[in-house]
Amino acid sequence: MKRILLVLSLCLLFLSVDAQDIRNNFSRAKEQFRVGNFNQASQLFASVAELTSGNPYLNYAIFYQGLSQFKAGNISAARDLFVQLETRSPGWERREDLYYWLAKSEFELGKYPQGFNALEKIRSASAKEDANAMEAEYVATIESVEQLESLYRSYPDNARLGLELAQRLIVNTDRNSQTRVKVLREKFNFKVEELIDTPVATEMKNSYNAAVVLPFSLHLLKAGGTYRNSQYMDFYAGLKLANRQLRTQGININLFNYDIESRDISSPSSILNRPEVKGMDFMIYNQLGGTQENVATYASENLMPLVLPFGGGVEDIVDNPWALMMRPGNETLSKKVIEFADKSFNNKNAVIIYSTSKRDEEIANAYKKTAEELGFRVVMMEQISGPDGSSIFQRLSETRQMPAPTRDDPNATRAVPAMTKEEIGHIFLATENPAVIVSALSLLTIRGDKVPTFGFDTWLDRSNISELQLERLGVYLVGYNGVQFGGETLKKFREEYVRTYGTMPTTYSSFGYDAMLLIGKAIKEYGTQFHIGLKSEGLILEDVLSGYQFTQQIDNQYVPILKLTNGVLQAVNE
């Protein structure tokens, strides 16, 4: 309105004394416009515009007649008047105001190409600022991503269209959408906070401090006792190896480790309350075997990114914008597997067998829930009680005699599984227990009918598990680790780890190495808000051991389904 009244006042300076009657009509029109009587104002402006010869304020009358029609809700009539004025007087001194309102009319009518064409004619900085704000408002109202795509193809240099398209695509987890987002980010140099909401502004530093809070239990080593937490030492070893590599690239992260099972520590909260911990840039915290709710609350209160390196339940952190779980959560893992089964198998039966660990029980329950939502029938769900689950597998391997007459013996029979392949559908085996895995593979071998079976890629770490048997039986291995076997990054990691520590890396060593690499590269690009930056990216497969995809999620959404073919592990769900 301020822009309208300013131009409306200026136009009176151009009126001559000889046109007093018309001037009076223009003044009355102006007053009616000011008080909101837009229909009456339009009529008065129209009477002023009737004089087309020697009329020094004709253009203003047409312009404000159009504005009056727009304000009265007659958008099409307003647009026609603006087009008429542009055609009649393309060099009018107030043409940038005309382009603004012509564009606004076109947008209101849903004619986005014509609106963009009008805005492209605006050149002055002040008018451009208003035009950009108006453009953003209307672009945000475009409901269809397909329409946005079409408009962007026609106007590939329009940053507002590019930003809106990136904001729409970033919530999709498919690789094509995330590739498009990456291209748009690089082309227009969008900041992460433009794509998704960030709690606070990011900060770029020369070096960053990280608190590594893990149950090292170092007092057991010193006392010569039984050391049960070697996996965390392995994780930290991988962490340090990657950190040393990052420093050669100018990425400086200082690691401060805290042993939450030290005799000097009464509880994790006693570490969290230390002043130096509150000043850290981020925290790496173990959440296995316990809740992370208190630590997640601490991270939120202190605006500190919280990296959870292992999988598990996300119920304590699901609404926490500061948390980032590097491995798939239990529900995510289960959901990805059953969705693959739904697409791959016509049979909608399922057998679920799981161990007594909390993680495996949570995964099994989540699997059952999602399976039933997708129309599967869980014909059997059993928790393993014995040392190897033999009682359960015996039931699945029981046979019955079926007639198999021959020329020599018309009464001959043959043994077939009592529970047929069709009745089972597929088996989901949630366990890391080597004895149970061996029993399961023996069952599948005895049956001989190749019932589709899902296990975990961590089975490959077990020396008593035969890769040849896994391949022969066609077992699907769910990528909890997600390690890209055969990649150059994995080869270099193993060589450097052996050179540094004199031993082969474990799964936990790779977790630590990969977590540090990913964090370091994200920090270089996004600074202190690296966790938000990672949630704005798509699938990350380059320069890491595993795959990562955090698109708008707390936990890693990358869950490859793997099979061995000619001794090579390959993803079958990509």
Side-chain angles (χ1 to χ4, degrees), residues 458 461 481 505-512:
T458 50
D461 294 335
N481 288 348
T506 66
T507 296
Y508 281 83
S509 305
S510 69
F511 281 178

Side-chain angles (χ1 to χ4, degrees), residues 233-247:
M233 294 297 292
D234 292 342
F235 175 84
Y236 190 63
L239 210 67
K240 290 197 300 180
L241 185 63
N243 197 36
R244 188 173 70 182
Q245 180 178 322
L246 291 172
R247 286 186 180 276

Side-chain angles (χ1 to χ4, degrees), residues 209-218 232-233 236 239 254-265 267-286 298 304:
N209 295 329
V212 183
V213 185
L214 297 172
F216 293 111
S217 301
L218 295 179
Y232 299 112
M233 294 297 292
Y236 190 63
L239 210 67
N254 304 311
L255 301 177
F256 298 87
N257 60 77
Y258 296 87
D259 186 357
I260 55 176
E261 289 198 358
S262 168
R263 288 177 175 177
D264 300 327
I265 303 299
S267 67
S269 61
S270 63
I271 294 177
L272 301 179
N273 290 331
R274 293 182 180 183
E276 77 270 17
V277 174
K278 291 185 177 181
M280 296 289 174
D281 294 301
F282 66 97
M283 180 188 297
I284 299 174
Y285 177 79
N286 162 65
Y298 174 90
M304 181 185 298

Side-chain angles (χ1 to χ4, degrees), residues 22-85:
I22 297 178
R23 176 172 183 164
N24 289 339
N25 283 342
F26 194 91
S27 296
R28 288 197 297 273
K30 173 186 172 181
E31 179 60 23
Q32 293 302 316
F33 186 94
R34 188 185 68 79
V35 299
N37 295 330
F38 299 118
N39 286 324
Q40 191 169 353
S42 176
Q43 294 174 9
L44 290 169
F45 282 125
S47 68
V48 174
E50 287 177 357
L51 179 61
T52 58
S53 179
N55 188 344
Y57 39 86
L58 173 62
N59 291 337
Y60 284 97
I62 297 174
F63 178 66
Y64 281 100
Q65 183 186 358
L67 279 181
S68 299
Q69 290 283 7
F70 187 96
K71 296 291 184 179
N74 303 318
I75 310 300
S76 183
R79 181 258 180 197
D80 291 343
L81 285 164
F82 294 141
V83 170
Q84 174 191 336
L85 179 55

Side-chain angles (χ1 to χ4, degrees), residues 441 450 453 456-462 465-478 483 485-486 561-572:
L441 297 180
K450 288 191 175 182
T453 301
F456 297 124
D457 63 352
T458 50
W459 291 7
L460 296 170
D461 294 335
R462 309 294 184 181
I465 306 300
S466 167
E467 291 187 11
L468 184 62
Q469 189 179 22
L470 289 171
E471 180 172 349
R472 187 174 63 251
L473 294 171
V475 175
Y476 295 94
L477 299 173
V478 181
V483 173
F485 291 91
I561 310 297
L562 310 164
K563 285 188 82 172
L564 282 160
T565 304
N566 297 323
V568 178
L569 204 59
Q570 297 177 336
V572 294

